[in-house]
Amino acid sequence: MRRSLAFLPTGAKARAKAKGQSKLKSELPPAIEISLVSAEVIGQVHAEFLDDPSPTDVITFDHGEILVCPAVALEQGKAYRRTLEEEVLLYGIHGLLHLLGWSDLTPVKRASMAQEQERVWRRVLALEKAKA
C-alpha cells in the first residue's frame, strides 16, 4: 500500500518544540524501508539492540529501516478497536516520527509523541476516506 508522506512535516516541528521534542530533523532519510516481520524476528532484533527479548510493535533505525510486527499489531489493535491495517499504519507513522527526531524515552515525550502520531494517523485515515 502506498501512502503520501507529504503531511508529516507540516507543522510538526513547531508542535514538537512546544511539547519538549527539541531534536527534530527537517528531512527524512533518502530511503525508508518498512518491513513487516514475525514476532520471533522482532523479538530477536529487540534483544540484540535493546536488550529485551520480548516481541514489540515497532523498531526504528536511524538509517531509515522500520520493523513492524503485525502479530503484535493484531493483539494491540483489539484493545483499541482498530483493524490490523490501522494498527500497522499507526506503527509506521510512529517509526517515521522517530526518523524525524521525535522521542518517546520519557513520559512527557512519550505523551507528546503519542498525541502527534494520533493526529497524523487520523489525518491519513481522513485522506483515505476522502479518496474512497
Side-chain angles (χ1 to χ4, degrees):
M1 166 182 9
R2 295 179 149 277
R3 297 192 187 269
S4 169
L5 301 179
F7 58 86
L8 271 175
T10 308
K13 198 164 194 169
R15 280 189 302 282
K17 284 189 177 184
K19 296 177 180 183
Q21 299 276 0
S22 60
K23 295 186 178 182
L24 282 192
K25 301 169 187 169
S26 59
E27 294 182 16
L28 290 166
I32 298 170
E33 178 181 322
I34 300 176
S35 299
L36 303 179
V37 299
S38 68
E40 180 182 352
V41 168
I42 208 159
Q44 291 169 351
V45 174
H46 201 202
E48 182 177 345
F49 292 94
L50 299 167
D51 295 323
D52 181 348
S54 64
T56 189
D57 49 7
V58 59
I59 297 176
T60 305
F61 294 97
D62 290 340
H63 62 270
E65 184 178 10
I66 301 170
L67 303 179
V68 173
C69 182
V72 172
L74 185 62
E75 288 305 310
Q76 289 186 6
K78 290 176 187 176
Y80 296 99
R81 294 187 174 153
R82 291 192 278 249
T83 67
L84 176 61
E85 182 185 46
E86 290 170 340
E87 195 74 6
V88 167
L89 172 62
L90 186 68
Y91 298 168
I93 291 167
H94 184 89
L96 290 168
L97 289 175
H98 274 308
L99 292 176
L100 285 170
W102 286 79
S103 172
D104 55 4
L105 295 178
T106 68
V108 170
K109 288 182 177 184
R110 188 175 308 115
S112 69
M113 185 173 178
Q115 186 177 21
E116 181 66 5
Q117 82 184 22
E118 180 78 14
R119 185 197 69 77
V120 171
W121 180 76
R122 290 191 182 284
R123 186 164 177 196
V124 172
L125 292 179
L127 289 171
E128 287 296 311
K129 188 175 182 180
K131 286 181 184 179

